[in-house]
Amino acid sequence: MFSEGFSGLKAFFFRSRKMMLFFVWFILIVVLIFIWIVGEKINDRAVGVSAIVCGGSTFLFWNYREKLSEIVKFTMSPRKKFVLVGSLGAVWAEFVFWFFEKIFGASGVAASPHLGLDLLITMPWYMIMLLLMFKAETKYHYSYTEILLLGGVYELGADGIFAQLLEGLTLPNLFLVIMVVPLFVIVYSVIVLPPSYVLRKEIDAMRTKHPKGDHKYRYGLLPLLGLIPYAFYVIFLLLVILVLAL
């Protein structure tokens, strides 16, 4: 029943020696996640369960990707459809973290204890990220493995470094967020993989040139530049909330 999902995992982790090394790192983080789940800290438990659900959602998507791809065959520009599909994954991921924060009585797991405000805070980042990600994919071809890894880098930049800067970045915290990059790959997989898969043919058709080389990896970091306008948005939103609270 889940043969497609397992074959996808095998292709992801065992396509190269470097990815096999990443698999070891990944397994260590998965073990850490399960330690969080059975541990006493409710915040860690909420994060662990949420990450597993997000990863499981991606697994299910890949297992039924052909059928799900048929659903999105409606008239819309590839760019808008890419952002729409990715945004639906982002809404789901945010809902999952918000839901399990409530279930376990945790705090600070979601961007806000109110789901509407959570989405108001986070969705602009996801939409900017997806727009720039679409631009990157229409210039360079990225394998699904590369897309998943880039997703982890995007969350490292957003929920890791950017969020830490807002709270006060320290070297120990910076080291910690870098160490849990596989966790970020799991969470963002449900956001970056579905649009990249269902729009693959359209994106390939839009790519008039086929440049090669290491430049594509630097260009793949383009979505991180979206954190600049997003930072201004967050500042503006905080000011609005502050004014309304007066």
Side-chain angles (χ1 to χ4, degrees), residues 2-21:
F2 298 116
S3 59
E4 287 293 320
F6 285 115
S7 65
L9 287 174
K10 183 178 179 181
F12 176 68
F13 285 118
F14 300 104
R15 61 180 297 157
S16 68
R17 183 173 297 179
K18 290 181 179 179
M19 285 307 300
M20 290 177 69
L21 291 174

Side-chain angles (χ1 to χ4, degrees), residues 26-27 166 199 206 216:
F26 181 88
I27 289 298
L166 293 178
L199 274 298
M206 294 175 67
K216 82 170 192 175

Side-chain angles (χ1 to χ4, degrees), residues 43-153:
N43 274 31
D44 290 347
R45 188 180 306 156
V47 171
V49 173
S50 299
I52 293 297
V53 171
C54 287
S57 300
T58 306
F59 179 86
L60 289 175
F61 164 78
W62 191 256
N63 201 69
Y64 299 104
R65 62 190 184 279
E66 297 296 339
K67 294 180 180 179
L68 292 173
S69 295
E70 295 296 322
I71 299 176
V72 297
K73 287 186 176 180
F74 47 82
T75 303
M76 182 181 285
S77 71
R79 180 168 57 182
K80 291 180 180 178
K81 192 182 295 186
F82 188 95
V83 174
L84 175 61
V85 174
S87 295
L88 290 175
V91 170
W92 170 245
E94 288 298 323
F95 171 78
V96 167
F97 275 82
W98 172 84
F99 177 77
F100 285 108
E101 179 183 79
K102 296 296 184 184
I103 290 295
F104 293 117
S107 62
V109 174
S112 170
H114 305 286
L115 182 59
L117 184 56
D118 179 291
L119 296 177
L120 186 64
I121 294 170
T122 59
M123 286 310 297
W125 153 245
Y126 292 124
M127 295 174 71
I128 295 171
M129 180 196 78
L130 288 162
L131 280 169
L132 294 176
M133 186 178 170
F134 179 82
K135 182 176 178 63
E137 288 195 43
T138 53
K139 184 175 179 64
Y140 291 98
H141 174 82
Y142 297 92
S143 68
Y144 295 126
T145 297
E146 290 168 336
I147 288 167
L148 287 169
L149 293 175
L150 284 171
V153 174

Side-chain angles (χ1 to χ4, degrees), residues 150-171:
L150 284 171
V153 174
Y154 301 154
E155 188 176 12
L156 171 64
D159 296 339
I161 297 175
F162 180 76
Q164 290 293 323
L165 285 172
L166 293 178
E167 298 174 3
L169 182 64
T170 63
L171 284 178

